Amino acid sequence: MFILLVAIVIFLALLGMPLFAAILAIAMLGFHYADIDLMVIAIDLYRIIQTPLLEAIPLFTFAGYLLSASQSSKRLVRVTQAVLGWMPGGLAIVALIACALFTAFTGASGVTIVALGALLYPALQQAGYQQRFSLGLVTTSGSLGLLFPPSLPLILFGVIALQMETPVGMTIEQLLVAGIVPGLLMIAMLSAWSMWTQGKQAASTQAFSFQELIESFKDAKWEIPLPAILLGGIYSGYFALSEAAVVTVIYLLIVEVFLYKDIKLKQIPDLLTDAMIMVGGILIILSCSLVLTSYFIEIDAPTTLFDWITQHIESQLSFLIMLNLFLLILGAFLDIFSAIVIMVPLILPIAMSFGVHPVHLGIVFLANMQIGYMTPPVGMNLFIASYRFSRPITEIYRSTVGFMVVLLLSLVIITYWPDLSLLFVE
């Protein structure tokens, strides 16, 4: 009966039942059939307020909404175009870097496709890049920034991992810096592939202009220092991550509202409301997922899963291969926040038993998730791009194939060369 009811809940979720309701329903059914008092659910839901660094999530989310509502995307594209636009394939590299940076600060790849897609897709077309290539580039670039600080998924992975009883041996600050080199590797490989496949189009680039370089830096002079302030403050120990989130919000309010005047004061309440609606969605999924995680622990699911894996998998290499395949499929069907909250408590102890460093696991996990965003048939970014550019979903599928292959190759390197992720981890 329990399995039948769970199957019904999953079926309803596929038909559109809210994800948090499906997660909570499965947990409630599990506790009921395990003859455990359902009061434990209220206790687990209450645990959300005890989550370390929880305040950083709404603050960084609000900061992302401020950037999305301003003209920072245009200034960012102008700067990268002035710096790199003269290179062969420069506009493609500009698109990759601009989208990655924008996603890192907004925390949502779909927002990047919508916000920067309108700017970059026509520009790529006008520069003579093939239509299919342009579609694939913008769709793929939307999720690249998930490995760069202050990525919300990186923070959430650390928050969940640090709540576990397993001796994790990492900090969120280590996670934030660990994604920089793997993220740059992905951008570099995609840039090289773009230059190789678009040789004729890449040859027609703009001439380098020192004056335009100076003007673009002047135009973005208040936004360019933000990453240095954020990372410098965190890694110098001057302020903690939650304090960095406060500094980021205050800085952006001053810059975007009073200096650039892109955002009017009367817009702030609406932006704050929209941001907190998104945060509310994240937190309710997080809290319900914590309840489901408690059920898994109650029935000893991690130990059962560990026993099964150790019977069938003998080496770290085999485990990582299986993990990549599983996470790629998971990333295509489940949003990244739910995937982190549900799967990290199950995967982390097993990965550590195979000698996988928790920081390395976090980067591998998120690298898979960002590729999952564009994995057919149901990767979220594929549908966002189809809607945004009014193209059939099958055309979007075809346009991303080459980019997917390059990203999968980069994933192999990131997975089996852990020093890339652990370069700055003491």
Side-chain angles (χ1 to χ4, degrees):
M1 177 62 74
F2 172 66
I3 295 176
L4 175 61
L5 290 173
V6 170
I8 293 172
V9 171
I10 293 174
F11 177 71
L12 291 174
L14 293 174
L15 292 180
M17 179 183 184
L19 181 62
F20 78 89
I23 293 172
L24 193 58
I26 293 173
M28 291 177 69
L29 288 169
F31 282 124
H32 174 72
Y33 279 94
D35 199 24
I36 297 173
D37 192 335
L38 294 184
M39 182 58 69
V40 72
I41 294 176
I43 295 172
D44 285 328
L45 288 173
Y46 182 76
R47 284 171 52 200
I48 190 68
I49 68 170
Q50 299 173 321
T51 303
L53 302 175
L54 183 66
E55 61 272 20
I57 295 176
L59 288 167
F60 277 127
T61 302
F62 182 46
Y65 271 77
L66 289 173
L67 284 172
S68 298
S70 70
Q71 297 297 312
S72 61
S73 59
K74 293 182 179 179
R75 289 187 287 269
L76 175 61
V77 171
R78 185 183 179 188
V79 169
T80 50
Q81 177 77 346
V83 175
L84 302 169
W86 58 272
M87 298 173 60
L91 186 56
I93 301 173
V94 167
L96 290 166
I97 294 175
C99 287
L101 292 175
F102 197 73
T103 300
F105 276 93
T106 60
S109 60
V111 172
T112 300
I113 293 174
V114 173
L116 291 186
L119 185 64
L120 293 171
Y121 180 65
L124 289 164
Q125 292 283 89
Q126 292 171 9
Y129 287 83
Q130 297 172 2
Q131 179 179 322
R132 181 179 295 183
F133 173 87
S134 302
L135 277 173
L137 179 69
V138 177
T139 303
T140 304
S141 302
S143 61
L144 284 179
L146 295 180
L147 292 179
F148 294 118
S151 165
L152 282 178
L154 273 174
I155 295 172
L156 186 60
F157 182 95
V159 166
I160 298 301
L162 291 173
Q163 288 192 87
M164 300 187 61
E165 296 180 2
T166 305
V168 175
M170 72 169 193
T171 64
I172 294 180
E173 287 78 11
Q174 288 176 333
L175 264 177
L176 290 175
V177 75
I180 294 176
V181 176
L184 290 175
L185 173 68
M186 287 184 159
I187 293 176
M189 292 182 65
L190 286 172
S191 298
W193 187 80
S194 300
M195 294 169 67
W196 179 62
T197 57
Q198 297 291 297
K200 294 180 180 179
Q201 290 78 8
S204 57
T205 57
Q206 68 179 36
F208 176 78
S209 170
F210 186 75
Q211 181 178 356
E212 171 61 16
L213 180 66
I214 297 299
E215 290 298 322
S216 67
F217 271 86
K218 285 183 179 179
D219 192 29
K221 64 183 178 181
W222 296 111
E223 291 160 330
I224 291 174
L226 181 58
I229 293 172
L230 180 64
L231 295 179
I234 292 173
Y235 295 108
S236 66
Y238 191 74
F239 43 69
L241 184 65
S242 55
E243 295 169 335
V246 175
V247 170
T248 301
V249 169
I250 294 174
Y251 185 87
L252 286 176
L253 281 172
I254 295 172
V255 168
E256 306 299 346
V257 176
F258 298 106
L259 297 179
Y260 285 122
K261 299 181 180 179
D262 289 342
I263 301 174
K264 299 184 182 302
L265 280 173
K266 64 181 181 181
Q267 294 178 261
I268 299 298
D270 289 337
L271 288 173
L272 189 58
T273 300
D274 291 342
M276 292 310 106
I277 289 173
M278 179 179 176
V279 171
I282 294 172
L283 294 183
I284 196 169
I285 291 173
L286 175 58
S287 58
C288 293
S289 298
L290 287 174
V291 175
L292 184 60
T293 299
S294 293
Y295 169 68
F296 286 152
I297 294 173
E298 189 68 35
I299 64 173
D300 215 16
T303 302
T304 304
L305 182 61
F306 173 74
D307 291 339
W308 184 90
I309 289 176
T310 51
Q311 288 175 8
H312 296 83
I313 298 175
E314 298 179 353
S315 67
Q316 184 188 93
L317 178 64
S318 302
F319 169 75
L320 289 172
I321 292 173
M322 187 194 75
L323 180 65
N324 278 333
L325 293 174
F326 173 73
L327 291 177
L328 285 172
I329 297 171
L330 185 72
F333 288 91
L334 197 62
D335 77 275
I336 191 168
F337 298 108
S338 301
I340 290 171
V341 176
I342 295 172
M343 296 312 305
V344 169
L346 296 175
I347 292 174
L348 182 59
I350 300 170
M352 293 182 67
S353 72
F354 280 99
V356 179
H357 195 288
V359 171
H360 181 217
L361 175 67
I363 302 306
V364 171
F365 193 105
L366 293 182
N368 276 281
M369 288 294 106
Q370 73 176 24
I371 296 174
Y373 271 132
M374 64 198 78
T375 301
V378 291
M380 182 179 67
N381 282 8
L382 300 173
F383 290 92
I384 292 175
S386 176
Y387 174 78
R388 180 65 185 84
F389 303 117
S390 302
R391 298 290 176 183
I393 190 65
T394 52
E395 184 178 350
I396 303 296
Y397 288 164
R398 291 192 296 270
S399 71
T400 57
V401 170
F403 296 94
M404 277 284 294
V405 172
V406 175
L407 286 173
L408 289 173
L409 288 174
S410 68
L411 176 62
V412 171
I413 297 172
I414 292 168
T415 302
Y416 303 111
W417 190 4
D419 287 346
L420 280 180
S421 301
L422 304 177
L423 186 63
F424 299 111
V425 177
E426 297 179 358

